[in-house]
């Protein structure tokens, strides 16, 4: 899961964060070496864990800890610069995508720091499960949500522009990117996601049916609203694509935003 979600997000971030969040580019050393380093650390971590399960000695345990800490360090070396780049973004406006990425990076930092400390503790502790929730739901799901709210409207706008050009229609008739997915419903979905994550962590810290069911209901509502928001964007695209050309050439300001 760390290899899939972690490496996927890191690789995509090099392109989508500067493009959609108007930040400076990631440092060259990150773009050249971080993914390879994380992949190697994950491979050693998996090898050490498998060897310990098969009866390996203390050397494999040391390798497990060393490679695990290397994975944590690699994730931190991605999350911290990402927050710094967002702080340096060229546009002062913020939106749901930026909020999702900030929450994602904060949860990744919390998980990368919290998991090793949880493993060092004595006896059963819920903190390892909470750290996993931070990484999987707080980081991976948050970042994917944030990317959907930028990438889907952009692709719909691009396809609509191409369709209008093929019909001989003016690009001035194409609505702005932000009109495909209004900010209000996206903000509501973000609030539900944040509340669901909080309830999930509370349910892990204090096991009980009530908190677990509340977390499931709120997270389910969040995912349902996400699906509804994306379907609305698709409906708006199809409605505009199938509309008749405007006699006056459309709204002169329609392509802004």
């Amino acid at each position: 899961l760390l290899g899939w979600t972690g490496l996927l997000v890191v690789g995509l971030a090099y392109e989508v964060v500067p493009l959609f969040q108007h930040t400076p580019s990631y440092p060259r050393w990150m773009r050249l070496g971080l993914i390879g380093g994380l992949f190697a650390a994950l491979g050693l971590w998996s090898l050490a864990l498998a060897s310990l399960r098969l009866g390996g000695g203390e050397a494999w345990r040391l390798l497990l800890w060393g490679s695990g800490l290397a994975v944590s360090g690699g994730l931190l070396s991605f999350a911290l610069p990402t927050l710094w780049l967002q702080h340096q973004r060229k546009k002062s406006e913020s939106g749901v995508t930026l909020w999702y990425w900030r929450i994602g990076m904060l949860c990744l930092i919390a998980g990368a720091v919290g998991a090793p400390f949880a493993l060092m503790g004595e006896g059963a502790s819920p903190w390892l499960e909470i750290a996993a929730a931070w990484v999987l739901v707080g980081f991976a799901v948050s970042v994917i949500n944030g990317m959907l709210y930028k990438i889907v409207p952009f692709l719909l706008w691009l396809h609509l522009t191409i369709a209008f050009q093929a019909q001989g229609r003016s690009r001035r008739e194409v609505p702005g990117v932000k009109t495909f997915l209004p900010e209000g419903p996206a903000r509501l979905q973000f609030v539900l996601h944040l509340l669901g994550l909080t309830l999930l962590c509370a349910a892990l810290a204090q096991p009980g049916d009530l908190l677990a069911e509340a977390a499931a209901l709120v997270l389910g509502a969040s995912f349902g609203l996400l699906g509804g928001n994306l379907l609305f964007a698709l409906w708006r695209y199809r409605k505009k694509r199938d509309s008749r050309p405007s006699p006056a050439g459309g709204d002169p300001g329609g392509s802004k935003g």
Side-chain angles (χ1 to χ4, degrees):
L1 287 171
L2 284 176
W4 171 46
T5 58
L7 297 183
L8 174 66
V9 170
V10 171
L12 287 174
Y14 296 157
E15 300 295 332
V16 299
V17 170
L19 176 63
F20 290 124
Q21 300 180 34
H22 309 287
T23 71
S25 298
Y26 279 86
R28 180 177 173 81
W29 66 265
M30 281 187 66
R31 290 184 278 116
L32 291 179
L34 181 57
I35 288 181
L38 275 171
F39 181 77
L42 283 167
L44 291 173
W45 195 15
S46 302
L47 177 63
L49 182 60
S51 299
L52 283 172
R53 294 286 176 88
L54 295 173
E58 190 64 23
W60 290 109
R61 188 172 302 280
L62 291 175
L63 179 61
L64 179 73
W65 273 99
S67 55
L69 290 174
V71 171
S72 293
L75 296 175
L76 288 173
S77 68
F78 165 69
L80 292 171
T82 299
L83 289 173
W84 175 244
L85 290 176
Q86 290 172 340
H87 178 70
Q88 294 180 297
R89 69 190 188 280
K90 298 173 185 177
K91 291 187 177 182
S92 59
E93 62 176 303
S94 62
V96 171
T97 295
L98 184 66
W99 299 345
Y100 264 124
W101 272 82
R102 283 180 169 171
I103 290 297
M105 294 305 105
L106 292 173
C107 285
L108 183 59
I109 293 169
V113 173
F117 280 101
L119 289 170
M120 292 177 188
E122 295 291 337
S125 169
W127 285 108
L128 187 60
E129 293 180 344
I130 293 173
W134 283 335
V135 173
L136 294 176
V137 181
F139 161 63
V141 176
S142 295
V143 168
I144 291 170
N145 274 252
M147 286 193 289
L148 285 172
Y149 279 129
K150 277 293 185 181
I151 293 174
V152 169
F154 173 75
L155 289 177
L156 293 176
W157 173 86
L158 181 63
H159 281 282
L160 189 60
T161 301
I162 294 172
F164 275 23
Q165 288 176 338
Q167 298 170 14
R169 299 171 65 173
S170 172
R171 289 186 59 183
R172 296 160 67 91
E173 293 186 67
V174 181
V177 174
K178 293 182 180 179
T179 63
F180 286 96
L181 224 165
E183 190 77 5
R187 288 181 180 178
L188 176 59
Q189 193 261 328
F190 172 79
V191 171
L192 287 175
H193 172 75
L194 201 58
L195 178 59
L197 174 62
T198 303
L199 289 170
L200 174 62
C201 293
L204 292 172
Q206 188 67 39
D209 290 343
L210 182 62
L211 281 174
E213 290 170 358
L217 287 172
V218 175
L219 285 172
S222 172
F223 286 126
L225 184 55
L226 172 65
N229 289 341
L230 297 177
L231 287 174
F232 173 83
L234 180 61
W235 170 82
R236 180 162 175 76
Y237 158 76
R238 288 179 172 174
K239 181 180 179 182
K240 190 66 179 178
R241 181 196 61 187
D242 299 334
S243 65
R244 295 182 178 180
S246 171
D251 179 10
S255 60
K256 293 183 181 180

